Amino acid sequence: MEIVTDLLKIILPSSLVLYAMYLTVTAFLKKQLTEKEVELQRKNVEIALPIRLQAYERMCLFLERITPNNLLIRTNGVATQAIEFQQILLHEVREEFNHNLSQQVYMSHDAWEHVRSAQQEVITLINQAAAEVKPDAAPIDLSKKIFEKIVQENRNPTALALKFVKDEIQREFM
């Protein structure tokens, strides 16, 4: 019996010390892990934030470039017929879109959908205006018809998307 008592006198304090060490080491490792996670998250934000902001900037530029006013001014004088001008306008919009396609990775789903919708609206506007103009008409006639449709429908096809993207930039980054 005395041996059991002596054994308990040795095992009990050593168990308590071992348990205290376990708690200390566990708390220390959890703290270290938390600090590493915070540091990693900070570095990710430090790297990703400028890339995301650049993606939003590029989408604003894209939307400005495909705005009918800017698109028509930029491509003015390259075609001799309305049908040719229509093809040039559609090509420009699609090329701009394809050039910026990868930016969707850095944007919210809603922002990207607004951008895609704006692109489709511009294409639809061009096609509708072209359908109302003779194919061999002068390119200026197609330009006038596009502006006429914008005025008739009282909408700029890229305005809503541009506002949404700018608002999201304000919410996310400012």
Side-chain angles (χ1 to χ4, degrees):
M1 190 60 130
E2 194 174 302
I3 245 174
V4 172
T5 311
D6 287 342
L7 197 56
L8 278 175
K9 286 180 184 177
I10 295 171
I11 291 178
L12 192 59
S14 62
S15 298
L16 289 174
V17 168
L18 189 60
Y19 183 67
M21 287 288 288
Y22 169 77
L23 290 177
T24 304
V25 169
T26 305
F28 176 74
L29 290 176
K30 281 182 182 177
K31 182 181 175 193
Q32 289 291 329
L33 182 62
T34 303
E35 287 175 3
K36 291 281 187 194
E37 287 174 349
V38 166
E39 179 66 22
L40 184 61
Q41 189 175 13
R42 188 187 62 75
K43 283 184 180 179
N44 282 342
V45 167
E46 194 174 286
I47 292 169
L49 188 66
I51 293 170
R52 286 189 67 215
L53 187 55
Q54 183 182 28
Y56 280 92
E57 288 172 351
R58 285 183 65 178
M59 283 302 105
C60 286
L61 180 61
F62 164 73
L63 291 167
E64 287 292 346
R65 288 181 62 83
I66 68 165
T67 297
N69 298 356
N70 297 332
L71 184 63
L72 293 170
I73 290 169
R74 197 172 65 252
T75 56
N76 188 25
V78 240
T80 56
Q81 295 181 334
I83 188 77
E84 183 184 358
F85 193 45
Q86 175 193 12
Q87 295 305 314
I88 290 169
L89 292 172
L90 294 175
H91 178 75
E92 281 288 315
V93 171
R94 289 182 179 126
E95 282 299 309
E96 287 284 338
F97 184 75
N98 289 338
H99 180 72
N100 291 296
L101 201 56
S102 64
Q103 302 309 311
Q104 68 181 301
V105 173
Y106 306 107
M107 301 178 71
S108 73
H109 178 73
D110 289 340
W112 181 251
E113 286 303 313
H114 275 80
V115 169
R116 277 185 19 153
S117 176
Q119 181 237 7
Q120 289 301 318
E121 282 186 51
V122 170
I123 289 173
T124 301
L125 175 68
I126 293 168
N127 287 333
Q128 287 174 347
E132 296 177 17
V133 172
K134 292 180 183 176
D136 60 344
I140 193 74
D141 293 339
L142 178 57
S143 295
K144 287 178 184 176
K145 187 53 86 172
I146 290 171
F147 283 124
E148 192 177 291
K149 291 193 84 48
I150 290 172
V151 170
Q152 280 176 353
E153 297 172 11
N154 195 23
R155 70 177 169 95
N156 180 342
T158 59
L160 181 63
L162 191 56
K163 181 181 178 341
F164 187 88
V165 170
K166 286 179 180 180
D167 288 346
E168 192 160 290
I169 289 170
Q170 291 295 318
R171 278 193 315 272
E172 297 283 327
F173 303 108
M174 304 300 170

